[in-house]
Amino acid sequence: MEQKETFYKTVWKIALPVTLQFLLQSSFSVVDQIMTGQLGSVSVAGIGLAGKFASIFSVLVSAIAAAAGIMLAQYIGQKDEQKADRSFLVNLGMAAILALFFTIVCTAAPRQVMEIYTKDTLTCDTAAGYLQIYAVSFLPMALTTLLSAFLRCAEAAALPLAAGIAAAAVNTLLNYVLIFGKCGFPAMGITGAAIATVTAQVAGCVLTLGMFLYHRRTQRRYWQADGSREKEVRMQADGSRVKEARSCTVPRTKRGARFSSAFHMEKEERLQYLGILLPILICEFFWSLGENVYAAIYGHIGTQACAAMTLTSPVQVLMIGAMNGFAQAAGIMVGKSLGRNDYERAYREAVKLMLCGLCGSVILSVILVLVRDSYVQIYRVEESVRHITKDILLAFAVISPVKVQNMILGGGILRSGGRTKYVMYIDFIGTWLFGVPLGLLSAFLFHLPIAWVYFILSLEECVRFAISVFLFRKKGWMRSL
């Protein structure tokens, strides 16, 4: 009974702050879409298409954070400080390089990027203007994501949550002021939305960095997550003990020196790191590319269809985000158990987390079906767009529980043992052998309405889930790094 209480306490400690932080981070684009939704269908479609390309960066930097989380969880479970610091710094550097690359592309050629998604000149210009400003947020977003991953694995998820609350407040206030021209500012429309998002991301990054440094200086060693105090013993030459029961807090100078020298990797460690990171990057890139193909399909169906799909984004983000904490908790908790070679406990925790996610996602789907009529009334768009939006929301409600199971099982559990290539294969098969072909056929061969196009291509989630369950039950993913 005590072990059960500890399990749910740990899930609550990790999942709740992670979920809230994810929702706050997602609220940047959600608030943009809701407020700019008052400006008409073109603005809604423009932000939606710009967000689709920006999502490629978000997915890739999240993939780097996922690799960092896998390594940190296992090394913390093993209580190996040197490897934990090293894995964090290497992944942080990778994320920064990726952010700089995307920033250059989006600021130098935003229109060329947006022409991939739509041939509508007005929508393309709107999206390009938004993307060019929004790209400035990529570097602070990358730093925030990696710092938050570290703090989550240290079970200090409440710290980045506090930073996220502050950033969300800044984003909401500035959106209202800059989009609609309040407090003496001119009405800037979607340009104001982009500026507000960049400012909020920078503020969130600065606060998260400050809390990260505070945690490293004042808290106990981050792998003491179970609350125990590690005794440090110095031995004489003859083997007798000289000193014991020393506090586990490392002197600041010693910790700083050890942290600054953590970039060096042995050949075996580099190969192991690349074996974890590359499949995740490939997997997330091709998944995100598939999502962008879906966006291009919607965009070519028509502006109204594209606008309706964009209107569903806040709901999709919030519902999936509400369950995201279980995926993060799965990766951390199962990873730590694997790091301690406690495979039975890892499997047992994985099953419990999947059941929690299933129950939560079904409840949210029922709520969505009940409130979708009221939701579409928020936006000042054509009645036909509202009707299409309601149909898409119904399709999403049906497929959402399967999406959540894939997020927990593929995004958290199967990756926790470091065998990230399993998930890479699963996602490639689901997206490119099923999702993309089904989307193209239903849209351009059978000319189905967009709600049916979305539902049919989303059936690839069922293919992913079937393969994932098969691999999960085989237990080949369970290993210690």
Side-chain angles (χ1 to χ4, degrees):
M1 183 68 179
E2 183 179 353
Q3 188 179 27
K4 184 177 180 180
E5 291 178 356
T6 302
F7 168 80
Y8 287 109
K9 182 179 179 181
T10 305
V11 171
W12 184 263
K13 185 177 181 180
I14 298 173
L16 181 61
V18 169
T19 296
L20 292 176
Q21 186 187 1
F22 182 90
L23 293 176
L24 288 169
Q25 186 73 19
S26 301
S27 72
F28 294 158
S29 60
V30 170
V31 169
D32 288 352
Q33 290 171 9
I34 290 177
M35 291 193 180
T36 56
Q38 313 305 313
L39 305 177
S41 298
V42 172
S43 295
V44 171
I47 287 184
L49 293 178
K52 280 297 180 182
F53 182 77
S55 71
I56 298 177
F57 166 74
S58 299
V59 166
L60 290 178
V61 80
S62 296
I64 296 174
I70 291 168
M71 301 167 78
L72 284 167
Q74 290 226 15
Y75 294 148
I76 288 173
Q78 297 167 11
K79 297 183 172 59
D80 191 330
E81 178 183 18
Q82 185 179 24
K83 288 185 177 180
D85 281 347
R86 182 181 301 141
S87 64
F88 170 70
L89 282 175
V90 170
N91 283 291
L92 184 64
M94 289 283 292
I97 293 171
L98 182 70
L100 290 174
F101 171 77
F102 270 83
T103 301
I104 292 171
V105 170
C106 292
T107 53
R111 181 172 178 81
Q112 288 83 343
V113 171
M114 286 298 99
E115 284 176 347
I116 299 172
Y117 294 87
T118 181
K119 299 301 181 183
D120 187 308
T121 302
L122 185 57
T123 302
C124 184
D125 290 340
T126 301
Y130 180 84
L131 181 64
Q132 191 170 37
I133 300 171
Y134 184 86
V136 180
S137 70
F138 288 160
L139 183 57
M141 188 189 305
L143 298 178
T144 300
T145 301
L146 268 292
L147 292 170
S148 299
F150 181 97
L151 291 170
R152 284 196 296 268
C153 290
E155 295 193 18
L159 296 180
L161 171 61
I165 292 173
V170 170
N171 184 59
T172 303
L173 177 62
L174 288 181
N175 263 302
Y176 177 73
V177 169
L178 298 180
I179 291 175
F180 302 113
K182 304 296 182 180
C183 302
F185 286 86
M188 302 172 68
I190 67 166
T191 299
I195 294 172
T197 298
V198 170
T199 305
Q201 289 283 7
V202 171
C205 179
V206 171
L207 289 172
T208 305
L209 178 60
M211 292 180 177
F212 169 80
L213 295 175
Y214 168 81
H215 179 267
R216 292 215 35 111
R217 290 186 178 186
T218 63
Q219 301 300 307
R220 295 174 298 178
R221 285 181 178 177
Y222 48 81
W223 52 77
Q224 294 297 317
D226 59 358
S228 63
R229 297 182 65 83
E230 181 183 19
K231 294 182 179 180
E232 187 171 320
V233 179
R234 191 171 77 240
M235 310 298 289
Q236 285 184 335
D238 61 359
S240 61
R241 296 185 177 186
V242 175
K243 187 178 181 181
E244 65 180 352
R246 180 176 166 185
S247 169
C248 65
T249 302
V250 180
R252 293 181 183 179
T253 55
K254 185 177 179 181
R255 293 181 70 176
R258 186 155 49 227
F259 187 72
S260 63
S261 63
F263 274 108
H264 177 70
M265 269 189 170
E266 300 295 335
K267 181 179 179 181
E268 183 179 348
E269 289 179 302
R270 286 198 300 270
L271 292 175
Q272 184 184 67
Y273 170 65
L274 292 175
I276 293 173
L277 176 62
L278 288 180
I280 295 180
L281 283 175
I282 294 171
C283 164
E284 297 297 341
F285 173 77
F286 279 103
W287 175 83
S288 181
L289 187 61
E291 290 293 308
N292 279 264
V293 171
Y294 298 158
I297 292 173
Y298 305 144
H300 284 83
I301 290 176
T303 299
Q304 285 194 343
C306 185
M309 181 58 67
T310 302
L311 294 184
T312 68
S313 294
V315 174
Q316 294 194 39
V317 167
L318 292 174
M319 284 187 61
I320 297 299
M323 297 290 103
N324 184 58
F326 288 111
Q328 297 291 330
I332 294 170
M333 295 173 65
V334 175
K336 287 182 178 180
S337 295
L338 293 176
R340 293 189 292 265
N341 295 313
D342 192 347
Y343 296 152
E344 182 180 348
R345 179 174 180 176
Y347 190 85
R348 191 167 58 247
E349 289 175 338
V351 172
K352 289 181 181 178
L353 285 160
M354 288 172 62
L355 290 174
C356 290
L358 178 61
C359 294
S361 60
V362 169
I363 292 172
L364 289 178
S365 288
V366 172
I367 293 173
L368 175 58
V369 172
L370 296 176
V371 304
R372 62 195 175 105
D373 288 345
S374 300
Y375 170 75
V376 298
Q377 299 303 321
I378 297 174
Y379 300 97
R380 294 181 181 177
V381 294
E382 299 89 339
E383 187 61 35
S384 58
V385 175
R386 290 196 181 110
H387 181 73
I388 296 170
T389 303
K390 288 192 291 184
D391 290 342
I392 298 172
L393 288 175
L394 178 60
F396 173 73
V398 173
I399 206 70
S400 177
V402 185
K403 283 180 175 285
V404 171
Q405 288 299 292
N406 283 330
M407 180 175 64
I408 296 172
L409 186 52
I413 295 167
L414 294 182
R415 283 178 174 172
S416 62
R419 298 189 185 276
T420 53
K421 62 181 181 181
Y422 288 175
V423 181
M424 178 184 71
Y425 296 144
I426 293 169
D427 281 0
F428 188 87
I429 291 171
T431 300
W432 292 98
L433 297 186
F434 288 89
V436 170
L438 288 174
L440 293 172
L441 289 172
S442 58
F444 302 123
L445 181 61
F446 299 111
H447 303 288
L448 297 176
I450 189 171
W452 278 105
V453 172
Y454 171 77
F455 179 74
I456 290 171
L457 66 82
S458 294
L459 293 177
E460 54 101 359
E461 296 283 353
C462 299
V463 176
R464 290 190 200 189
F465 183 63
I467 301 172
S468 298
V469 170
F470 175 79
L471 292 175
F472 174 74
R473 298 181 67 176
K474 287 291 185 181
K475 301 184 180 180
W477 54 275
M478 302 176 72
R479 71 165 181 173
S480 176
L481 297 180

